[in-house]
Amino acid sequence: MPTNLIPGQAAGDTLGSKKPSGGQEDVWLTLAKDAFKRSTTYYENNFRATVEDGLRLFNSQHPKSSKYNSDAFKYRSRIFRPKTRSVVRKHEATAAMAFFSNPDVLSVDPENTEDPAQAISAGVTKELLQYRLRKSIPWFFKVLGAFQDAMTVGVCISFQYWDYQVRKEKKTRMAVAEVFGQQISMPFEQEVETVIVDKPCCDLIPVNNVRFDPAAKWDDVVGTSPYLILQLPMYLRDVLDRMELGYGKEGKKWNSLSKAVILKARITDFDPVQQARDGRREDPQAVTSQESDFDVIMVHLNFIKTADGVFTFYTLKDLELLSDPVALKEVFLHGQIPVTIGFCVIETHKTMPSGLAQLGGQLQQETNEVANQRLDNVKLVLNKRYVVRRGSNIDVESMVRNVPGGVTMANDAEKDVREINWTDVTSSSFQEQDRLNADFDDLTGGGLNSSSVMTNRRLNETVGGMKMMAQGSNSLTEYTIRVFAESWVEPTLRQLALLEQFYESDVTVLALAGQRAGVWQRFNQSEDLDQLLKQELTLSINVGMGATDPEQRLGKFIGAMQNYAQLSQAAPPDVNLLEVRKELFGLAG
C-alpha cells in the first residue's frame, strides 16, 4: 500500500482540491479497493473470530468452537455462568461513578495562562462542550457504550463530525409594485431554508465496520495507518437525498448514480460479528425482502494519505466514487482525521489488544465446564440410568418419564432391567469452582464476591484484611478506567472541542456559553468570537485514581485541603503555593 505518492503521480504534482480527471478517479478508486481488500483479508483471518468470541462471552453464549454447540451435547447440561457479563457490568457501574459524579465533565485550560484571549477561549469552550454534552450528545451512553466495546472486543472506535441539515420550503411573500402610479401588493414564491439540525455528533462505530492497515503503530493507529476506512450503513433514501440535495453547511452533493448501481451495494449477507452481537437474531441490516427505500446501502468514508497530505472521499462500498477526493481540511476544517480508537487493556505492539472478555475467556470456559459436569452428576443421581436387555418387552417410555408413583411393565424385571448408580459429587467440585472464580476476578478486576473472600481465608477474618482486598480490586479497576480515559475519552473530547471552535454558529448557544463563562461582556462581535475560540487549549477530564470510591474520594479531598491550609500558613516565602497545591491534590488523586 503506497504511503507517499499516488501511482502515476510525479513528485511535486498535487491534486489539491481540484476535481480529478477520469484517470485519477480510477486511481483513487483502485487505492480504496486495494486498501479495503488488504485490511479486510487481515481482519477476517486474524481478528474476526476473536471479536466474535468476545461478543458471545458477553452475551452469555458459548464460543462458536465450543463442544457445547455440537450435537453430542444436545441433551447434556450446557448452561453458561455469566461471569463475563457480571464483571463488565461492575466495571460499567464503576466507570459511571468515576466519570459522572462530578457536575463538570471536563476541564479546559489555556496553553498560556497569561494570554487573556486564551483564557476567554478556554472558558467559553468549556461551557460550549458542557452544554453540548448535556443537550446534543448523549454523553453518558456514549462513554459507557465505548467502555463496553473496549471490554468486550478490545477496542472502541468513534467518529466525530458536525451534523447540519436544512429543509427548503417555498413560502408565499407579498411584494409592493407600482403599476400606473398605484402601489399594488403582489404575491410571489420564495425558497426559504430552515435549519433543522445543527449540532456536533459522536457516533460509535462497531469494530467490524472499520478498516486500517495492520502495520500501523499500536499507540497511534489513526495517525500512522496509511489509510482508514469507515463503513457507514445508510438507508437508500438518504443516499439519494445526498445526491439530489447535498449535505453539510456547504450543500455538497454526491455524484449522481442510477438506482440500479446503488442497489449493488445493498447489504445482503449476514455479518457473523453482528449476529454474535445481536445474539442469534438475524442481521437487521441485511436485505431479506424486495427493493424498498428502507434497504441499507454500505457507504465507505475513505481517508488516504499521500505526499501532499490526507485526502478524503466517499465511495459506494468499493464499487463507485460518490464524491471527489479533496484535502482533509476542506471537509473537516480542523484538519484532523475525525476518528478516535481507544482500549482498556495495554498490549504493546498490537493494533487490536484484548478486552476483558478475551482475557478471562479460558477461565470462563473452565467455570462452565465444572458447573455443567456437576449439574450432569446431580441429574444422574436424581434420575437413574438403566440398562435394558435388547429385545425385551419393557415399557421404555415409562422409564424415561420416570414419574413419581408411576409403574413400568416388564416380563422379567430382575434380568431385563439393571439400574446404574452414580456417586454424588464431592466438595472438590465446589472448591474448584471457587478457585476459578477467584482467578477470574484477579485477572479482570471484577471486585470482591463471596468466593473470592472465602478463598482468602485469613484476610477475610479481619476488617483490615477486607479493606486490603477491596483496595487491590479498586486499584485494578481504576487502572482499567484510566487507560480507557487516556486512550479514548480525552482524545474524543479534544475533537469535540475542535468542532465547537470551528463549526459552532448557534447564536443562542454561544450567548449562553459566554454568560456562563462570565466573559461574554468582553466580546460581542462574531469576528472576534471566531478568533477567540480558535486558540490552543489543554483539555482534561475530571477523573483520577481513587475516583471509584466516594468515601475514599471525600477523605482524600478533606485531607488534601487540611494539609494545604497548614502548608500555606507556614510555607517559606520562596515557595510557589500554586505548584504545591497542584502536587498535593495530584497525590490525593
Side-chain angles (χ1 to χ4, degrees), residues 290-331:
Q290 299 296 324
E291 298 177 6
S292 72
D293 287 346
F294 304 110
D295 287 344
V296 181
I297 308 298
M298 185 58 78
V299 174
H300 290 182
L301 175 56
N302 305 271
F303 299 93
I304 305 290
K305 292 184 179 179
T306 70
D308 299 311
V310 182
F311 285 76
T312 181
F313 54 97
Y314 288 91
T315 57
L316 184 68
K317 204 172 179 180
D318 58 349
L319 305 175
E320 299 286 345
L321 281 176
L322 285 175
S323 66
D324 299 330
V326 296
L328 177 66
K329 197 171 181 61
E330 295 189 23
V331 181

Side-chain angles (χ1 to χ4, degrees), residues 57 74 90 176-177 198 234 301 352 460 502 529 578:
L57 290 172
K74 188 175 182 179
K90 287 180 180 178
V176 178
D198 186 10
M234 298 178 62
L301 175 56
M352 281 284 292
N460 68 24
F502 282 86
L529 176 60
L578 179 61

Side-chain angles (χ1 to χ4, degrees), residues 131-143:
Y131 176 85
R132 288 300 189 181
L133 293 178
R134 285 194 300 264
K135 301 294 184 180
S136 304
I137 301 174
W139 188 238
F140 181 85
F141 298 112
K142 297 297 182 182
V143 171

Side-chain angles (χ1 to χ4, degrees), residues 231-391:
Q231 301 182 75
L232 307 176
M234 298 178 62
Y235 289 113
L236 174 62
R237 184 68 265 166
D238 294 335
V239 175
L240 295 175
D241 285 345
R242 288 201 173 194
M243 292 179 181
E244 298 172 5
L245 306 176
Y247 65 98
K249 291 190 175 183
E250 298 81 10
K252 295 180 179 179
K253 297 182 180 181
W254 280 353
N255 300 332
S256 296
L257 299 173
S258 66
K259 193 173 182 179
V261 173
I262 298 174
L263 290 174
K264 292 181 181 179
R266 284 195 305 173
I267 300 177
T268 56
D269 298 328
F270 288 169
D271 187 342
V273 173
Q274 185 63 38
Q275 284 188 293
R277 182 179 288 110
D278 290 336
R280 297 194 183 95
R281 301 187 183 96
E282 293 182 358
D283 190 341
Q285 296 177 349
V287 176
T288 57
S289 61
Q290 299 296 324
E291 298 177 6
S292 72
D293 287 346
F294 304 110
D295 287 344
V296 181
I297 308 298
M298 185 58 78
V299 174
H300 290 182
L301 175 56
N302 305 271
F303 299 93
I304 305 290
K305 292 184 179 179
T306 70
D308 299 311
V310 182
F311 285 76
T312 181
F313 54 97
Y314 288 91
T315 57
L316 184 68
K317 204 172 179 180
D318 58 349
L319 305 175
E320 299 286 345
L321 281 176
L322 285 175
S323 66
D324 299 330
V326 296
L328 177 66
K329 197 171 181 61
E330 295 189 23
V331 181
F332 301 96
L333 301 181
H334 48 66
Q336 295 186 10
I337 296 178
V339 179
T340 50
I341 299 179
F343 43 85
C344 65
V345 176
I346 295 179
E347 291 187 336
T348 56
H349 314 299
K350 290 177 65 176
T351 55
M352 281 284 292
S354 302
L356 295 183
Q358 290 130 347
L359 287 182
Q362 292 187 354
L363 289 173
Q364 173 72 78
Q365 294 181 46
E366 286 300 316
T367 301
N368 295 334
E369 180 76 9
V370 172
N372 283 313
Q373 287 189 5
R374 185 171 64 246
L375 286 174
D376 280 339
N377 179 268
V378 172
K379 292 175 182 177
L380 287 170
V381 170
L382 298 178
N383 300 275
K384 309 292 185 181
R385 283 185 66 89
Y386 299 92
V387 176
V388 178
R389 184 171 61 84
R390 185 178 287 109

